[in-house]
Amino acid sequence: MKNLRIYIADDDFDDRDFFMEALNSVPIKTEVSQFDNGVDLMDKLFSDVTLPHVIFLDLYMPIMDGFECLMDIRNFKKFNTIYIIAYSSIYRDREVNQLKQDGANQFLKKSSSFKELKELLFKSLTAVSDRNKQNESKADFVVLTG
């Protein structure tokens, strides 16, 4: 695989900046597009000819939150191959179970530790790369927390 195309949607600039710093230190080649809300993310998905391999989706954003984005993305067959990793600093069993039912591939609990976040991102992206190499469309749901 060439570069892993990644979209990240998170309304918190500092969180996105920290996330990008950790992502850039992971030994996987990526192309990243960033969005600060779900509406812009959805607009880009519908206008892009080349879809991302993976979307990191913050659950709590204004305008359109991650739960709504996930539902919208999974309602369109053309987006079925996109691996979706929902993430939040809050872990609630009920919400994580709902994400699984709604079609997310992973839940990633945000970490304030750079080293931990880097390790979690590496695990997440390795799962995406492995899945793409095997041309699998469905993967088991994974929860990653530090």
Side-chain angles (χ1 to χ4, degrees):
M1 174 183 294
K2 298 175 194 160
N3 289 347
L4 201 58
R5 283 184 309 282
I6 298 173
Y7 285 2
I8 175 173
D10 192 332
D11 64 309
D12 186 311
F13 175 80
D14 291 334
D15 280 359
R16 260 195 349 258
D17 195 42
F18 184 62
F19 186 94
M20 287 303 300
E21 198 176 320
L23 185 60
N24 288 331
S25 68
V26 170
I28 295 174
K29 292 183 180 184
T30 61
E31 293 173 29
V32 182
S33 297
Q34 299 180 48
F35 307 90
D36 60 10
N37 65 71
V39 172
D40 290 346
L41 167 71
M42 294 306 297
D43 285 348
K44 181 70 170 164
L45 280 173
F46 280 106
S47 67
D48 250 1
V49 175
T50 306
L51 295 173
H53 297 106
V54 62
I55 297 173
F56 284 91
L57 195 54
D58 182 32
L59 293 180
Y60 301 102
M61 298 181 286
I63 306 174
M64 182 180 208
D65 67 27
F67 296 100
E68 294 167 307
C69 284
L70 175 62
M71 293 294 290
D72 282 0
I73 292 167
R74 290 306 187 220
N75 279 329
F76 292 90
K77 282 187 179 180
K78 73 182 212 171
F79 301 140
N80 279 354
T81 60
I82 300 172
Y83 196 92
I84 299 178
I85 302 171
Y87 72 101
S88 175
S89 54
I90 302 166
Y91 177 95
R92 293 185 185 110
D93 284 334
R94 175 180 50 82
E95 290 175 349
V96 171
N97 289 334
Q98 187 64 49
L99 292 167
K100 181 179 178 179
Q101 284 181 348
D102 292 345
N105 299 96
Q106 282 185 26
F107 174 81
L108 176 69
K109 186 170 185 298
K110 288 183 183 180
S111 174
S112 57
S113 158
F114 183 81
K115 182 178 186 248
E116 188 174 272
L117 180 58
K118 182 179 163 182
E119 289 169 4
L120 293 173
L121 288 174
F122 184 73
K123 285 180 187 175
S124 290
L125 295 179
T126 299
V128 174
S129 292
D130 290 349
R131 176 180 164 255
N132 286 339
K133 284 177 193 165
Q134 297 167 4
N135 276 334
E136 294 175 25
S137 59
K138 190 70 180 144
D140 291 333
F141 185 78
V142 178
V143 175
L144 294 173
T145 61

